[in-house]
Amino acid sequence: QVQLVESGGGLVQPGGSLGLSCAASGSIFSIYNMGWYRQAPGRQHELVAVITSGGSTNYPNSVKGRFTISRDNAANTGYLQMNSLKPKDTAVYYCNAAVAVVGGGGPIDYWGQGTQVTVSS
């Protein structure tokens, strides 16, 4: 019913920037919270950013001040702008959205396919 398609991953040098996009499509009635998670080999899933439908944001200390999450509700799209990237940021990044579908009930979590971000010189 709903698909999240990520784009924007790639290779970047330390100190560089990268922007990720997450486009939702399907029978969408409304999107509640959206977020970005990452997972590196040997590491647990880590929440890196969350944004509510009202635009409130939250970040863990590991990315605070460097990453910015935003959304375009008209386009059903979320974004993650990553600046001052460090090698420790290397991971597969997944977008997440709580989506209420047309004709359905409460929101359901959907996940993007993941996109690789590699920070290396």
Side-chain angles (χ1 to χ4, degrees):
Q1 290 182 293
V2 175
Q3 300 81 41
L4 304 183
V5 179
E6 301 179 32
S7 61
L11 174 66
V12 64
Q13 294 184 355
S17 298
L18 203 61
L20 306 181
S21 297
C22 177
S25 63
S27 301
I28 299 171
F29 179 77
S30 64
I31 301 178
Y32 293 77
N33 290 359
M34 301 186 74
W36 291 88
Y37 295 75
R38 67 186 181 188
Q39 186 170 31
R43 297 282 197 87
Q44 296 181 336
H45 264 288
E46 178 187 18
L47 175 68
V48 297
V50 63
I51 184 168
T52 70
S53 59
S56 298
T57 60
N58 200 11
Y59 309 89
N61 290 334
S62 59
V63 307
K64 191 174 298 182
R66 300 188 298 118
F67 290 12
T68 302
I69 187 172
S70 61
R71 62 193 291 170
D72 183 342
N73 290 331
N76 290 326
T77 302
Y79 305 94
L80 183 68
Q81 179 64 42
M82 303 181 291
N83 299 325
S84 301
L85 283 162
K86 306 173 181 179
K88 71 172 185 176
D89 296 319
T90 295
V92 177
Y93 284 70
Y94 299 89
C95 68
N96 165 262
V99 181
V101 301
V102 174
I108 300 173
D109 279 350
Y110 291 88
W111 292 86
Q113 80 279 12
T115 185
Q116 177 70 47
V117 172
T118 302
V119 184
S120 176
S121 59

